[in-house]
Amino acid sequence: MTTQYGDQPTGQQPHGAPQPTTTGNVLSIIAMVLGVIAIIFLPIVFGVIGLVLAVIAKTVRHERLAVPAIVVSAVGLIGGMVLGALLAG
């Protein structure tokens, strides 16, 4: 948008202009994959790393998929430990 006095920008965006997007959901997707892997292999390692990445994605990067990534990582961590305990006993 420009003013009537020339091509000086007003700092306003026209109605319906797209808002700047976030950086993506890379950390959230990695956290989800690690959460799924944690169900089968080394839940304490993969589950904790996935949970940390998901929390970073939520607090620092404000990714859209961060909350589902936290859930998947937590379920992978706890579910993997329970499954390991059931199979070991």
Side-chain angles (χ1 to χ4, degrees):
M1 235 177 158
T2 59
T3 62
Q4 63 181 351
Y5 302 109
D7 274 342
Q8 298 174 357
T10 61
Q12 298 176 353
Q13 292 184 349
H15 183 68
Q19 297 296 323
T21 58
T22 58
T23 57
N25 293 310
V26 176
L27 287 181
S28 298
I29 293 171
I30 293 172
M32 283 189 213
V33 170
L34 289 175
V36 171
I37 291 173
I39 294 174
I40 301 168
F41 300 111
L42 300 171
I44 293 177
V45 175
F46 290 117
V48 169
I49 292 172
L51 201 55
V52 168
L53 286 177
V55 169
I56 290 172
K58 173 74 174 159
T59 58
V60 177
R61 297 182 52 151
H62 307 290
E63 295 181 6
R64 286 184 310 138
L65 295 176
V67 174
I70 290 172
V71 172
V72 169
S73 295
V75 168
L77 175 65
I78 295 169
M81 289 191 297
V82 169
L83 185 63
L86 289 175
L87 292 177

